[in-house]
Amino acid sequence: MVYLCIFCEVIPDLNYLFFMVNIFAVAQMETTRKQILFEELRKLREETNAETLRQELEKERQRRLELEQKVNEVLKARAEEVSAAQQSTKPQTQANGADKRSHTVCSRLQKWFCDKFGEYVEDFRFQPEENTVETEEPLSARRLTENMRRLKRGAKPVTNFVKNLSALSDWYSIYTSAIAFIIYMNAVWHGWAIPMFLFLAILRLSLNYLIARGWRIQWSIVPEVSEPVEPPKEDLTVSEKFQLVLDVAQKAQNLFGKMADILEKIKNLFMWVQPEITQKLYIVLWAAFIASCFLPYRIIGLAMGLYAGIKFFLIDFIFKRCPRLRAKYDTPYIIWTSLPTDPQLKERSNATVSRRLQTAASRSYVGSNAPAGINKDEDTSRFHTTKRGNFHEVFNLSENERPLAVCENGWRCCLINRDRKMPTDYIRNGILYVTENYLCFESSKSGSSKRNKVIKLTDITDIQKYKVLSVLPGSGMGIAVSTPSTQKPLVFGAMVHRDEAFETIFNQYVKITSASSNSES
């Protein structure tokens, strides 16, 4: 009972003790949390430098206030000076009005001049060049036809001008050519040639302006023929696209060939390729130089103008009508036609080398101990060789069989034997030769002579031009030869000079067959 009473008295003290312990624990946790927060705040201040930023901001504010005070003081001082000047110069405003206007005009002119000069100085500033790469358009049939038509339309004024000049020189219209000749000679005689050409250019521009405004004016000696304009096709077949590419390539080839001939002739004229022609030019240049040093320019211009008019209107007309006179007496035409191009020079050099080799071979042959009874043809056939040896040894023929003069080097082609099934035997690349009695094909692959083909001309039953791929335009690039030993004709395809080879083979075939038929009869 006593313990119970003691325990009841102690329980409130324990509760109070537990309560105080809890309060102390909470206070301890709060202090630790505050310490952590202060530590984080300190780190944040150190990282952001907030205090330094505040100090700099305060300094900037003070500077701004000081500048504002100074500006206000300056404005007040200027306002006071202006007001004082106005009060002192009010009676003299009318007298000094002209001076102020002149001063303002001079200041404006000075400012305008400074601005323009600054712009010009900026224009002369050096800048690095920008290397821009133009994007190339892909090949398109529609774009190709459009560019061809654009080129044709763009070149039409130039072609019309050339046609009109040739019509004047050819006296297409007698009255027009006579009037032009009289006006030109009169202008040259009086020294008005340059003003005349300038006036013609102004007149042409004026007419073009009226034509652009809708006027229908035709100023042409040769009547213009309107060509039918074909509407562009939207969808082209494969053969039409291929034919279009071939046409463009042919035109480009011919155009580039003509331009190359002109440039090569001019180059060879100045490079003394043919000394007798360049010597004439050399003498003419010296004569023109001496004349320009001693004669007045008026006389030189008069002589050149009169010569050009007589040459253009009279001499060229006579030479065009009389080709023999032109070939004998037209010096510029003779010089230009006799100038060689680079391919012609190459052919001449090759011909010269071949002649020298032939003469050397003939001399060595005459000096050697040739066996008796062998004629010239049999001997020259021994010296004709292919890439793999003598011709008659490669094809197992007699020594008197040699290629004809037309095909000494042969024609590159591919033999298509449609009787064979294996790809290696179906198509063979090589060279085709024609002799007096045989048609010989030499395979380009290394190996035995079994891959070569020899066809006797008398065994041929039919020979025709052949087109390997029917979808391609044109007549093809092959020759089909039929013999009794083959079920299908042998085709010699991919021949660049197909027509020349066909004519040679066919003529020799007709010659041999006719000779054999005559001998049998």
Side-chain angles (χ1 to χ4, degrees):
M1 201 62 186
V2 174
Y3 289 107
L4 182 61
C5 293
I6 295 170
F7 183 72
C8 291
E9 290 179 359
V10 172
I11 285 173
D13 295 334
L14 291 173
N15 291 331
Y16 178 76
L17 181 61
F18 288 146
F19 178 73
M20 292 300 293
V21 170
N22 290 331
I23 290 174
F24 180 75
V26 170
Q28 189 68 24
M29 291 173 65
E30 287 292 331
T31 54
T32 54
R33 189 171 63 83
K34 286 182 180 180
Q35 289 179 0
I36 292 169
L37 291 175
F38 277 120
E39 188 69 23
E40 291 180 355
L41 182 61
R42 186 178 61 78
K43 291 179 180 180
L44 184 64
R45 286 179 178 177
E46 289 178 357
E47 290 177 357
T48 57
N49 295 325
E51 294 297 333
T52 57
L53 293 175
R54 286 180 183 177
Q55 292 177 2
E56 291 179 359
L57 183 61
E58 291 295 334
K59 290 180 181 179
E60 292 295 331
R61 287 178 181 176
Q62 292 178 1
R63 290 177 184 175
R64 183 175 62 81
L65 293 174
E66 291 177 358
L67 289 174
E68 287 181 354
Q69 290 178 0
K70 290 180 181 181
V71 169
N72 291 328
E73 291 177 358
V74 172
L75 290 175
K76 288 180 181 179
R78 286 186 179 180
E80 292 176 357
E81 290 177 0
V82 170
S83 61
Q86 287 179 356
Q87 290 177 1
S88 62
T89 58
K90 270 185 181 181
Q92 298 177 358
T93 53
Q94 294 180 356
N96 296 331
D99 296 336
K100 287 184 178 180
R101 290 176 184 175
S102 62
H103 180 70
T104 54
V105 170
C106 292
S107 62
R108 289 178 181 177
L109 289 174
Q110 186 178 2
K111 184 179 180 182
W112 177 82
F113 179 76
C114 292
D115 293 339
K116 291 295 182 182
F117 183 74
E119 291 180 1
Y120 292 144
V121 171
E122 289 292 331
D123 293 337
F124 280 98
R125 179 177 293 178
F126 291 97
Q127 293 180 356
E129 295 182 357
E130 296 181 359
N131 296 325
T132 58
V133 180
E134 297 182 357
T135 57
E136 296 182 356
E137 297 182 1
L139 183 62
S140 173
R142 174 187 281 180
R143 191 67 176 171
L144 188 60
T145 53
E146 183 181 353
N147 290 338
M148 287 177 60
R149 289 171 182 168
R150 287 174 54 197
L151 180 62
K152 192 174 182 180
R153 289 195 299 267
K156 190 175 181 180
V158 179
T159 55
N160 290 337
F161 178 73
V162 174
K163 286 180 182 178
N164 289 328
L165 285 181
S166 62
L168 279 176
S169 179
D170 295 339
W171 292 74
Y172 181 84
S173 176
I174 299 175
Y175 300 104
T176 306
S177 298
I179 293 170
F181 176 69
I182 294 170
I183 292 174
Y184 174 79
M185 297 301 287
N186 189 18
V188 170
W189 183 259
H190 292 89
W192 298 340
I194 296 176
M196 181 191 68
F197 289 119
L198 294 175
F199 176 74
L200 289 176
I202 294 169
L203 182 61
R204 181 71 258 186
L205 287 176
S206 303
L207 290 175
N208 291 338
Y209 174 78
L210 296 177
I211 292 170
R213 289 293 181 180
W215 290 42
R216 293 184 178 180
I217 301 173
Q218 183 178 359
W219 189 32
S220 177
I221 302 172
V222 181
E224 296 182 0
V225 180
S226 60
E227 298 179 357
V229 179
E230 297 180 358
K233 294 182 180 180
E234 297 294 334
D235 297 328
L236 296 176
T237 61
V238 177
S239 61
E240 289 177 346
K241 290 181 180 179
F242 189 78
Q243 185 64 39
L244 179 63
V245 172
L246 289 180
D247 293 340
V248 175
Q250 184 180 5
K251 291 180 181 179
Q253 172 188 340
N254 297 333
L255 179 61
F256 291 157
K258 292 179 182 178
M259 294 172 63
D261 290 342
I262 293 172
L263 295 176
E264 287 174 357
K265 285 187 175 184
I266 294 173
K267 181 198 71 172
N268 295 331
L269 175 63
F270 287 95
M271 294 302 295
W272 294 82
V273 175
Q274 281 194 344
E276 64 275 6
I277 296 176
T278 311
Q279 186 179 4
K280 296 178 182 179
L281 177 64
Y282 190 73
I283 294 170
V284 170
L285 290 176
W286 270 110
F289 172 73
I290 295 170
S292 64
C293 292
F294 294 100
L295 296 177
Y297 289 121
R298 181 179 178 82
I299 297 176
I300 296 174
L302 178 63
M304 293 176 63
L306 292 176
Y307 171 75
I310 295 171
K311 178 82 168 57
F312 181 78
F313 285 98
L314 300 178
I315 298 176
D316 286 346
F317 174 75
I318 296 172
F319 283 155
K320 287 179 182 178
R321 295 297 183 272
C322 303
R324 293 184 178 179
L325 288 176
R326 186 174 192 177
K328 289 182 179 180
Y329 302 107
D330 193 358
T331 305
Y333 174 78
I334 295 170
I335 291 174
W336 183 255
T337 53
S338 58
L339 281 171
T341 59
D342 289 349
Q344 292 175 353
L345 290 174
K346 189 175 181 181
E347 290 178 0
R348 293 179 184 177
S349 62
N350 292 334
T352 305
V353 171
S354 63
R355 288 174 186 172
R356 290 177 181 176
L357 291 175
Q358 288 178 0
T359 54
S362 62
R363 289 175 182 175
S364 62
Y365 170 70
V366 170
S368 63
N369 295 323
I374 298 177
N375 57 12
K376 184 178 180 181
D377 293 338
E378 292 175 350
D379 184 70
T380 54
S381 66
R382 292 183 179 181
F383 291 100
H384 187 84
T385 59
T386 62
K387 292 183 178 180
R388 296 185 187 146
N390 294 328
F391 184 83
H392 65 278
E393 293 177 356
V394 171
F395 296 103
N396 296 324
L397 299 175
S398 60
E399 294 183 358
N400 59 354
E401 289 291 338
R402 59 187 180 86
L404 299 178
V406 181
C407 60
E408 288 184 353
N409 297 323
W411 299 291
R412 290 192 175 274
C413 63
C414 62
L415 174 60
I416 303 174
N417 191 352
R418 292 182 292 178
D419 292 339
R420 303 293 179 90
K421 301 298 181 183
M422 295 297 293
T424 55
D425 295 333
Y426 185 80
I427 298 178
R428 301 176 190 173
N429 294 322
I431 302 175
L432 182 65
Y433 298 95
V434 181
T435 66
E436 293 183 357
N437 300 304
Y438 294 95
L439 187 64
C440 305
F441 175 79
E442 182 185 7
S443 179
S444 59
K445 290 185 178 180
S446 60
S448 62
S449 60
K450 294 181 180 180
R451 304 185 65 86
N452 300 333
K453 190 73 176 179
V454 178
I455 303 172
K456 198 172 183 180
L457 293 177
T458 55
D459 294 339
I460 296 175
T461 57
D462 188 18
I463 178 171
Q464 292 180 358
K465 294 182 180 180
Y466 188 76
K467 186 176 181 180
V468 179
L469 297 175
S470 59
V471 295
L472 297 179
S475 59
M477 300 174 65
I479 299 174
V481 177
S482 300
T483 59
S485 61
T486 57
Q487 296 178 358
K488 295 180 181 180
L490 296 173
V491 177
F492 299 95
M495 299 182 68
V496 178
H497 304 284
R498 194 275 306 271
D499 295 335
E500 178 186 357
F502 179 79
E503 292 294 332
T504 304
I505 297 170
F506 187 77
N507 292 335
Q508 189 66 21
Y509 169 72
V510 171
K511 179 181 177 182
I512 293 297
T513 52
S514 61
S516 61
S517 61
N518 292 331
S519 62
E520 289 176 359
S521 61

